[in-house]
Amino acid sequence: MADSGSFRIVVGVDGSDQSKAAMDWAIEESRLRAGEVQAVTAWSFPYVSDAMGTAWDYDIFQKDAQAILEEELERVKDQGVTVTGRIVEGNPASALIEASRDADLVAVGSRGHGGFTGMLLGSVSHQTIHHAHCPVLVIREPDAG
């Protein structure tokens, strides 16, 4: 159990529909267990540059992550569950794996932003289920069709 004495669920938040579904599930489960939710949003600098030597506005990457997290925290603020947020610079899977050390459960969407359409699992959920320090629940939002 998490050090706080309360059942803690860590949720990966990237603004995708599936991460929102993971958050919704975590909120409901935390309500049932009188627990808490920690939303984790990761950001990193791009690995690419252009041949023209264009200077990146590096602050924008962290600001975008902050905006995604704040929007999600606002969306779930009146759910009757303690929800905190954390921004981490680095790989999303690594951030979730590290956060899993102090969690009872990690909830992630099966696929977030990026990747290839049609994949059952994205790279973040795949890495998290194999390396987390606690159980991982992968949420797959039902197809609309």
Side-chain angles (χ1 to χ4, degrees):
M1 193 169 244
D3 291 340
S4 68
S6 178
F7 193 86
R8 178 180 293 164
I9 301 174
V10 168
V11 180
V13 172
D14 68 0
S16 68
D17 288 342
Q18 292 198 10
S19 79
K20 290 177 182 179
M23 175 64 85
D24 292 342
W25 183 91
I27 294 286
E28 185 60 30
E29 188 68 16
S30 291
R31 186 179 298 113
L32 294 171
R33 294 177 180 257
E36 60 188 46
V37 175
Q38 180 182 54
V40 175
T41 301
W43 67 276
S44 61
F45 297 116
Y47 293 110
V48 297
S49 63
D50 65 18
M52 309 248 327
T54 303
W56 289 95
D57 178 6
Y58 288 109
D59 290 338
I60 197 72
F61 299 103
Q62 184 174 8
K63 288 177 184 174
D64 283 349
Q66 186 69 41
I68 288 167
L69 180 61
E70 287 175 2
E71 183 178 306
E72 185 65 355
L73 293 177
E74 179 67 21
R75 185 180 77 84
V76 300
K77 72 178 181 180
D78 295 325
Q79 300 292 321
V81 173
T82 300
V83 182
T84 58
R86 194 168 98 189
I87 298 284
V88 178
E89 180 183 355
N91 175 282
S94 296
L96 291 171
I97 292 164
E98 183 59 32
S100 76
R101 292 180 186 276
D102 297 322
D104 297 292
L105 181 72
V106 174
V108 293
S110 61
R111 289 190 56 253
H113 288 301
F116 299 97
T117 302
M119 288 178 62
L120 293 178
L121 285 179
S123 61
V124 172
S125 57
H126 188 263
Q127 290 176 48
T128 304
I129 61 174
H130 288 289
H131 300 289
H133 301 277
C134 66
V136 177
L137 179 70
V138 179
I139 303 292
R140 183 164 185 234
E141 190 175 49
D143 293 333

